[in-house]
Amino acid sequence: MIAQRIRGLQSALLLCQLLLVPVLLVVAGLLVFSSLAGVDSTLAAHYPMYALAVMAGLLLEGMNRDRARVRMNLWQHNFVAQHRVTIRQMFFGLGVLLAYLAATKDLAISRWFLLVFAAVLYGGLLGSNYWLPGVLARRIFGGKSIERTLLVGSARQANRILPWLANKEVYGLRTVGILCTDPVRPSIAELPCLGDAADLEEVVRREGITQVIVLELPQAIPQHMKLVAVLEKMGVRILILSNLEEMLQHPVVHLEDDGMRFITLRAEPLENPLNRFAKRALDLAVALPVVLFILPPFMLVIWLVHRLQSPGALFFVQTRAGIQNRAFQIIKFRSMHENNPDEARQAVLGDERVFGLGRWMRKLSIDELPQFINVLKGEMSVTGPRPHLVEHNDQFAQQMTNYHIRTFVKPGITGLAQVRGFRGEARSSAEIAKRLESDICYLENWRFALDMSIIVRTAWQMIAPPKTAC
């Protein structure tokens, strides 16, 4: 019910903004030409098409907002949130207008008018996003649209939902009280206890309840079925608050496919083939120029460095754990002396195995350059969790039960953990946990823009390397 009311309010706000566009066009004309009499007749004749183009852009943005996971707190005066949505609307609205102007080769509109209209449109949209939701909510959800709501459950769950209930009052939700299921009835701030579950039918009739929220998933099916039967008989809406996250001690994601409903522990954007295609295209766009134009001169320089300080092989090849823990051969410039007896030991600051200029190679991440060959082979990505030795993976997995979750995506040359400062030797379980937290955050929240951000931040760290690099 609440979701439908929120969508309804969003639709009403969008309709008001669509109707506002022609008005803003006229206002821009008045500001530019001082009066309607001064408006060029040719330009004025184009106003309806300009308005329709901008309205089409706003409509397109509104239809795609949920898909883009853009959230707008309609009931809160939050300038930052409203500004973010307004900028998105401006991008769509003016984008469609500019496309129309280009397609029709419109010469009537002036740059000055377009600039003034953009400023007026921004002000109108921001003002409507900021003020209109509250006005519309009071008009739409007041009076007979008020839902008198009763809670059924424990005081602990009630205290958990109270902030949500307070935010939803603007949509006509009025919480009357709670039927407490605790053996001893504790006090609940600003929420009267009207009895226990056995008093349900009496309280619903006495208080004129139109909606009941059950505060947790049922543990005893017969009692739950009886509660549902009573409320259905009385024509009362019922909502059940899911406490699955509390039971599983992990956030959950709800999925529906072909009539079947599932619950999983996390969203994985890179399971979408289009996202994987975009990520692979970015990998190739970055890796190909590096392998063709940057890697060859560096190979010559590193070969000379080796001849001077540590003669031996140019490359260091080592088995690492990749996606789904599949082993692959990672390629690096050798930064340690050859005949290293303990390759599995993590490198530390001042490590005696690393030769002089090898320390600078590691500090500037130059030793990682050959890994772009792994990227071209499809074994790695430019961005992702860093691949570790199989021995280290087993060791870390003993300390962190969810450690192997990070292998759901391809390993990367750089990653979110690295640009957050977690690189080099992992000195404690806390540091491993921080890296794992960043890796899983990347897995669950991947966006093309996130990859671009990581690449830019990594490039900066190569110019100004952190002190932790070893």
Side-chain angles (χ1 to χ4, degrees):
M1 185 277 294
I2 284 298
Q4 297 301 326
R5 290 196 172 201
I6 292 174
R7 291 192 188 98
L9 184 57
Q10 288 175 331
S11 299
L13 175 61
L14 178 58
L15 177 61
C16 291
Q17 290 176 330
L18 293 177
L19 297 175
L20 185 63
V21 170
V23 177
L24 296 177
L25 262 171
V26 174
V27 170
L30 289 172
L31 289 174
V32 174
F33 301 106
S34 301
S35 68
L36 286 175
V39 178
D40 182 88
S41 58
T42 305
L43 177 61
H46 288 74
Y47 273 15
M49 293 308 300
Y50 297 161
L52 286 174
V54 176
M55 292 163 72
L58 295 182
L59 189 60
L60 184 63
E61 187 279 330
M63 293 169 60
N64 285 275
R65 190 178 298 173
D66 285 341
R67 187 180 301 174
R69 295 187 294 180
V70 175
R71 295 292 178 261
M72 181 178 177
N73 294 332
L74 293 171
W75 65 92
Q76 293 180 350
H77 286 174
N78 185 328
F79 176 80
V80 175
Q82 316 302 2
H83 165 77
R84 187 181 301 118
V85 173
T86 300
I87 291 296
R88 179 180 165 84
Q89 290 178 308
M90 291 283 291
F91 176 81
F92 276 81
L94 293 181
V96 173
L97 175 59
L98 292 174
Y100 167 77
L101 295 176
T104 59
K105 299 180 180 178
D106 190 307
L107 300 177
I109 197 167
S110 68
R111 294 177 182 176
W112 175 239
F113 175 80
L114 194 58
L115 181 63
V116 172
F117 174 61
V120 171
L121 181 64
Y122 173 78
L125 292 176
L126 182 61
S128 60
N129 285 329
Y130 193 80
W131 295 108
L132 265 183
V135 176
L136 291 172
R138 286 189 292 271
R139 296 287 297 177
I140 297 172
F141 302 125
K144 294 182 180 180
S145 295
I146 289 177
E147 289 280 2
R148 292 179 60 81
T149 302
L150 176 69
L151 307 183
V152 178
S154 67
R156 180 170 55 83
Q157 289 293 93
N159 285 318
R160 174 188 165 201
I161 201 177
L162 280 177
W164 180 86
L165 291 169
N167 285 334
K168 295 302 177 283
E169 284 187 7
V170 72
Y171 297 113
L173 215 65
R174 298 290 184 273
T175 307
V176 175
I178 181 173
L179 297 181
C180 197
T181 57
D182 295 307
V184 179
R185 296 178 185 175
S187 60
I188 304 172
E190 303 177 1
L191 197 62
C193 183
L194 303 177
D196 55 31
D199 303 316
L200 175 65
E201 189 169 354
E202 177 192 346
V203 172
V204 168
R205 294 186 188 280
R206 185 180 73 233
E207 300 292 340
I209 300 299
T210 59
Q211 177 174 263
V212 169
I213 298 179
V214 180
L215 296 176
E216 57 188 4
L217 294 170
Q219 297 181 355
I221 300 300
Q223 287 87 337
H224 173 70
M225 295 302 296
K226 180 180 179 182
L227 180 146
V228 171
V230 170
L231 295 177
E232 290 281 284
K233 179 181 177 181
M234 300 179 73
V236 176
R237 288 190 178 91
I238 180 170
L239 295 177
I240 301 174
L241 177 65
S242 173
N243 60 335
L244 263 179
E245 294 190 359
E246 183 180 352
M247 295 168 63
L248 297 174
Q249 296 184 353
H250 196 286
V252 298
V253 177
H254 297 269
L255 305 173
E256 184 174 352
D257 180 66
D258 200 17
M260 304 300 294
R261 296 178 180 177
F262 302 91
I263 294 170
T264 183
L265 298 185
R266 54 184 52 83
E268 296 181 52
L270 284 173
E271 284 301 293
N272 184 323
L274 289 178
N275 289 343
R276 288 204 303 270
F277 176 81
K279 184 173 176 63
R280 182 60 179 162
L282 178 62
D283 286 343
L284 294 176
V286 174
L288 272 173
V290 171
V291 172
L292 292 176
F293 304 111
I294 298 177
L295 190 58
F298 270 94
M299 290 172 61
L300 177 60
V301 172
I302 301 304
W303 182 84
L304 292 174
V305 167
H306 284 169
R307 301 285 74 74
L308 292 172
Q309 294 198 345
S310 180
L314 177 63
F315 296 114
F316 173 68
V317 179
Q318 190 177 51
T319 302
R320 296 286 179 97
I323 186 170
Q324 298 291 357
N325 277 321
R326 298 171 194 151
F328 74 100
Q329 301 298 309
I330 196 171
I331 309 170
K332 302 176 70 173
F333 282 133
R334 183 173 57 85
S335 60
M336 293 183 178
H337 295 293
E338 285 200 320
N339 302 318
N340 181 357
D342 191 5
E343 292 183 354
R345 178 160 60 95
Q346 294 187 70
V348 299
L349 287 171
D351 198 313
E352 73 282 354
R353 297 171 298 169
V354 182
F355 57 85
L357 289 175
R359 291 191 177 89
W360 282 101
M361 289 166 54
R362 298 175 71 90
K363 195 174 186 68
L364 298 174
S365 300
I366 294 172
D367 62 321
E368 313 284 0
L369 280 176
Q371 290 171 38
F372 284 101
I373 298 173
N374 292 115
V375 174
L376 292 182
K377 293 170 67 178
E379 298 166 333
M380 292 180 66
S381 176
V382 174
T383 57
R386 283 295 297 159
H388 296 147
L389 289 167
V390 176
E391 297 90 335
H392 289 171
N393 265 11
D394 295 339
Q395 175 187 340
F396 296 152
Q398 292 176 3
Q399 302 176 46
M400 308 290 165
T401 55
N402 60 338
Y403 181 79
H404 288 304
I405 297 300
R406 67 195 296 276
T407 67
F408 285 2
V409 294
K410 283 183 185 179
I413 296 175
T414 184
L416 187 60
Q418 283 63 47
V419 298
R420 286 178 171 179
F422 305 115
R423 52 179 292 176
E425 178 194 10
R427 299 176 181 84
S428 65
S429 297
E431 286 193 19
I432 298 171
K434 287 291 185 182
R435 297 183 191 206
L436 178 61
E437 179 184 342
S438 294
D439 291 339
I440 293 180
C441 178
Y442 176 84
L443 162 74
E444 295 178 345
N445 300 280
W446 179 90
R447 303 183 309 279
F448 189 84
L450 178 59
D451 271 2
M452 294 296 296
S453 170
I454 292 172
I455 291 171
V456 171
R457 291 161 69 183
T458 300
W460 173 252
Q461 287 186 356
M462 291 182 69
I463 299 171
K467 295 180 180 179
T468 55
C470 60

